[in-house]
Amino acid sequence: MKNILIFAIIILGVHLLSGAFEESIEGVYAKGIGGVCMSCLSVSSLCRNPAIAAQLEHINFGISSGLIGIGSDEGHILDITALAGTSLYKKHLGLSGGFKYKGLSDIAYPGLNNIAYSEILAELNASVGFFKYFSIGAGGIFQQWNVGGDRNYLSGKNYNFKVGLYVHKIAKILSIGMVAENLFGGKVDSGNGFSEEIIKKINFSISFDTKIIETGLQGEYIINAGFFNTGIGCSLFLFKRILHISMGCLFKENFMTIIPTAGFQFAIKELYGIEYAFQYPVSFLDSYGRHYVELNVKFGK
């Protein structure tokens, strides 16, 4: 079991490099609907598209915690995420940001003190709104990670940049978003002579909101790797949106990894909510279910 755990951790590190930092900051609601950026504006979507903050009606804040099982029931990666955003000047200017920490925890096996995995991801976005429903935005990203097991150790950091546009509720039901990330290229330096080209990707999302049910679809093309990530999601809103139930599925690397998702939220007047989401990577090496819980708050006007 020790060897399996070490192998899983090293594979995570190699996957981070070969995937050229595909990791992103998102809220729990987005995780429960297959990563789709829905028209139901919330803290969950703030860092998926830097243009969204200009469309917000409140100050949004959310903090979440998650556990990703690896190797055994006794090995987990802890995921802590915080997100915040608001619009100013009657939706003409939006500001949003996020922070994520991921680290290995709960290792119960003797002799595994050298096992370590940690990742820090931070993002800051600004957006400008035009007319009533259209906005554009840009954001900067910083990522640093370390992964190792016994004599095997990798580390690296990355600076990234993305731009996006968002059109919110055309004809009151249709929302469209597009994000281009790191089109200027660059290299990821692991600090030990190993480097990879930073990922270049374009993401497109579309969603339909009928107030009772919302469905969405996203497509993401990884330019320098030549494969697609896609996601589908659906949310059912009940009791005047006090409760919503979500389902979705994320297909990564041309369907090599399939991640079914589900979740639910209890909300009070759409201002305060507790969100839960579950993911299960069908094709991920030695992985167990992923559980996420988030507290989100909207306040002010």
Side-chain angles (χ1 to χ4, degrees):
M1 187 60 68
K2 173 182 175 180
N3 292 334
I4 292 175
L5 183 58
I6 293 172
F7 181 64
I9 295 170
I10 298 303
I11 288 296
L12 278 172
V14 173
H15 176 75
L16 280 171
L17 279 174
S18 61
F21 298 93
E22 283 190 72
E23 186 66 59
S24 62
I25 301 175
E26 62 185 10
V28 170
Y29 179 49
K31 295 179 185 296
I33 53 175
V36 182
C37 188
M38 291 289 207
S39 66
C40 179
L41 296 179
S42 69
V43 70
S44 194
S45 301
L46 284 176
C47 288
R48 292 199 60 80
N49 188 331
I52 282 181
Q55 300 290 340
L56 298 174
E57 294 184 354
H58 300 83
I59 299 172
N60 287 247
F61 175 76
I63 184 167
S64 66
S65 178
L67 282 179
I68 303 171
I70 63 166
S72 74
D73 291 330
E74 300 176 65
H76 296 87
I77 291 178
L78 176 66
D79 181 336
I80 298 174
T81 301
L83 287 160
T86 189
S87 63
L88 305 169
Y89 307 113
K90 297 181 179 180
K91 296 187 179 182
H92 292 304
L93 175 65
L95 298 173
S96 63
F99 175 85
K100 172 183 283 191
Y101 166 81
K102 292 174 68 176
L104 195 64
S105 65
D106 299 334
I107 297 300
Y109 302 104
L112 294 184
N113 294 330
N114 292 329
I115 297 294
Y117 168 71
S118 66
E119 178 181 354
I120 294 174
L121 187 64
E123 181 170 339
L124 182 63
N125 302 307
S127 56
V128 179
F130 301 93
F131 307 107
K132 190 174 181 180
Y133 303 111
F134 177 76
S135 59
I136 60 174
I141 308 167
F142 169 76
Q143 184 175 29
Q144 180 174 337
W145 58 270
N146 300 279
V147 59
D150 290 344
R151 299 181 183 88
N152 300 293
Y153 186 81
L154 292 171
S155 65
K157 61 183 178 180
N158 171 43
Y159 299 92
N160 207 338
F161 177 77
K162 64 182 178 182
V163 295
L165 62 86
Y166 190 71
V167 184
H168 181 51
K169 287 193 174 180
I170 305 170
K172 298 184 178 181
I173 61 169
L174 173 65
S175 296
I176 299 172
M178 181 175 290
V179 180
E181 188 167 333
N182 203 55
L183 296 184
F184 301 105
K187 292 285 185 179
V188 178
D189 186 1
S190 67
N192 57 6
F194 187 85
S195 64
E196 277 283 334
E197 186 178 3
I198 294 176
I199 202 72
K200 303 175 183 178
K201 57 186 178 182
I202 296 176
N203 179 284
F204 176 83
S205 65
I206 183 170
S207 65
F208 298 88
D209 184 3
T210 64
K211 295 187 177 181
I212 297 176
I213 190 169
E214 182 173 13
T215 57
L217 171 70
Q218 72 156 338
E220 185 175 67
Y221 178 56
I222 310 301
I223 297 173
N224 44 346
F227 57 72
F228 285 91
N229 296 330
T230 58
I232 55 175
C234 177
S235 278
L236 175 64
F237 298 93
L238 303 171
F239 310 114
K240 297 182 179 180
R241 297 204 173 209
I242 293 175
L243 170 69
H244 73 235
I245 300 171
S246 305
M247 296 184 65
C249 196
L250 181 62
F251 305 93
K252 300 191 68 175
E253 300 175 5
N254 293 338
F255 294 86
M256 293 298 292
T257 299
I258 301 173
I259 307 178
T261 65
F264 62 87
Q265 181 191 55
F266 291 99
I268 301 175
K269 296 181 179 180
E270 296 190 57
L271 297 178
Y272 314 97
I274 297 177
E275 187 94 36
Y276 169 79
F278 175 76
Q279 298 179 330
Y280 191 87
V282 176
S283 305
F284 192 79
L285 174 67
D286 228 31
S287 183
Y288 289 70
R290 306 177 180 185
H291 302 269
Y292 301 91
V293 178
E294 178 179 272
L295 173 65
N296 51 67
V297 180
K298 301 179 182 179
F299 55 92
K301 278 287 187 178

